[in-house]
Amino acid sequence: MTNFIVKKVAVLGAGVMGAQIAAHCVNAKVPVVLFDLPAKEGNKNGIVLKAIENLKKLSPAPLGNKDDATLIEAANYEDNLDLLAGCDLIIEAIAERMDWKHDLYKKVAPHIGANAIFASNTSGLSIEKLAEGFDDELKARFRGVHFFNPPRYMHLVELIPTAATRPEILDQLETFLTSTLGKGVVRAKDTPNFIANRVGIFGMLATIHEAEKFGLSVDVVDDLTGAKLGRAKSGTFRTADVVGLDTMGHVIKTMQDNLQDDPFFGVYKTPEVLTKLIEKGALGQKAGAGFYKKVGKDIMRLDFASGEYVPGGAKAADIVGRILKEKDPVKKFKAMRESSNPQAQFLWAIFRDAFHYIAFHLDTIADNARDVDFAMRWGFGWSVGPFETWQAAGWTQIAQWVKEDIEAGKALTNAPLPSWVFEGPVAEKGVHTAEGSYSVTKNAYVPLSDLPVYKRQQFRAPVVGLGGADPKTAGTTVFEDESVRLWHSDDEVLVISLKTKMHVIGDGVIKGIKRGLEEASKGYKGLVIWNTDAAEGGAFSAGADLQSALPAFMTGGAKAMEPIVRELQDTFMAMKYSNVPVVAAVAGLALGGGCEMALHASKRVASIESYIGLVEVGVGLVPAGGGLKEAALRAANEAKGNDILQFLKTGFTNAATAQVSKSALEAKAMGYLKEDDVIVFNPYELLHVAKVTARSMFDAGYRAPLRRPVPVTGRYGWATIRGQLVNMRDGGFISAYDYQLGDTIAEIVTGGDIDQGSYVSEQWLLDMERKAFISLLNNPKTQERIMGMMQTGKPVRN
């Protein structure tokens, strides 16, 4: 395959999706031009410029760094169509109207480059019909591409070819979406709403139907169908509110208009409750009311019978909660089906409906069962896909139960399960095997894609039954205990994976890092700190393990903590000055000590979704693992002889206000990541890039940095910052204790009560950190904050 590089992207349509797709391209350093209609008044690019400005206000933020909004080039269809000739990928993202899209295609087609890929971002329109009117050459380069909202955060992108789309075009686009934009790509067939929305919206409609049948309220249904099932905690009805009831209604209408021969067509009827809500403008979260409505601080729920909002908050019955906690899926489903509790019967019904639906439609919507599972996991936030769930619960037994319900008239339709469910290889092995996942059309097991881009994913997204390497046991284990695992894959790089909850740093992790440094120096090209759940949203490290340190504090007081803190400092310094490169593969939370661990690595390779910060003031403490020392050091390096104080403000403010980056891009702006640190967009590639980075550093002749004295601002800088803190305290912006903590941080980062321009060692600053930390531990207000955090998980302001 030729090396296809997307050098520039054009996005047609500056609506919600178009603008956010453009934003994510900019996140990935891909130049992008955003088009829309010319404004009728003022600047002709006014519509696009307004959309770009709005990107800065959206939450969750589409941009990793808000300042990058200026990098999106604004254009309009009247004056700037010539810009299309320089774009390698053109994504149309206007409203879901076939006629509007065709009108736009006629306008832009003559300006599209001879080798450019052209795609429509549609949630369900026919790609074949969209391609009507194209010449053969453009039709071969056209396909559907369905980003899920919000595009930065949702992992799923569905790719939908036409019959004429060239296979290499699909491969090129999948490679770009996977590695550059960090997406999980599923290839869908050209059927209404494709895979995820087809199955997901059916599931929501079936859930509403079954909820009414069993007399369950929306809050109980959401409690049953959210986190307890390993799905988005918003459940069913709250998810509909977040998506927008009008959007949901539009997707349902696509199914109504195009699936009239479907045996499940009766389920596609827009529920009466949804119709009434849409008619009165209660469109969900964006309208302030939908299935839920916030009244003051209270969340009210819609009562189906009266149509009024009533107090919510009801939960699943205890007995059903216990059933759902059963770890053995075979026992869980048996208990669900046999229970007389209406909530349990409801749960069995919605699973039965889902299994019935995906089995009946697999051959028409997807190439294989795996694509359905990935679509639901990545597009709807399910931890386990529907086919995986069925297989884990006992394929043959579940199939028999579904068959019995169909024959008894309990199912949504009397259409029988297809014969492949009961016969041939699936009956014997299930839909997922080591050979691959079952394809109805091929009557064979289809292996995972072998595109070269997937060689960058040492541990690809797992599928129940498919097998594959387990990151918790893969490779050769050098050392393992309850805190860490040291291992390698015969590729010259040693990996340390933390095993503690949230990967907190206690005595075992510190000893593990020391051992890792020692082992790495014996014959490896580097040490990578990478955690096995990095791609699944796990933390890099939530910080120091306060819980494990509590016994030492209770028996020996604050003084007993001094050697523990010293050992942490010494370990991080050993990392920094190791003779083999140490690469921190950061993903998710890197807070407090976790942030400091990353700061002391030779280099950082960070997932775009990395949330990094020094948050110790939240528990009444100051960073003591070298975080403030690093802030002082980096400010001095950036100043290059200028007034250090101007460069110190960022590091001080970050620590004093416990600011956490909202992305790896923002972490660079905050100074937690350096300019030459690497940002990775696909979390499944994080380990690969970290290893490549470590090897390349070693092969380039890596040597540890020399220990240099640090110039500090001394009492001048300290007094300057203290003056600002006094104003904030006296103005009521911070509490008296916040002032004390801020003043302590200011003392440390400035070097303390010494002359401006003095030079101190790193150890000087570390000693200041440690002494301040121990002193604060003795303060009752700090103890209040620590106990409050441990009991409630929320910071105490005192």
Side-chain angles (χ1 to χ4, degrees), residues 486-545:
L486 286 169
W487 60 281
H488 65 82
S489 299
D490 297 320
D491 54 6
E492 306 174 306
V493 176
L494 188 64
V495 180
I496 180 169
S497 298
L498 277 55
K499 295 170 58 179
T500 51
K501 186 177 180 181
M502 296 289 283
H503 306 132
V504 292
I505 303 166
D507 182 60
V509 169
I510 293 170
K511 285 182 168 58
I513 294 172
K514 283 183 174 179
R515 183 157 188 163
L517 293 170
E518 183 182 332
E519 293 286 347
S521 67
K522 291 178 182 176
Y524 295 90
K525 288 188 173 182
L527 176 66
V528 167
I529 306 170
W530 174 82
N531 295 320
T532 56
D533 57 357
E536 310 298 331
F540 175 71
S541 172
D545 186 0

Side-chain angles (χ1 to χ4, degrees), residues 90-126:
I90 297 158
I91 301 173
E92 168 271 307
I94 68 170
E96 295 282 78
R97 282 271 302 266
M98 187 77 72
D99 54 343
W100 290 1
K101 289 178 186 281
H102 277 151
D103 287 345
L104 180 60
Y105 295 171
K106 288 173 189 172
K107 188 179 292 185
V108 302
H111 302 274
I112 295 173
N115 297 308
I117 295 176
F118 189 28
S120 173
N121 181 69
T122 173
S123 61
L125 295 180
S126 168

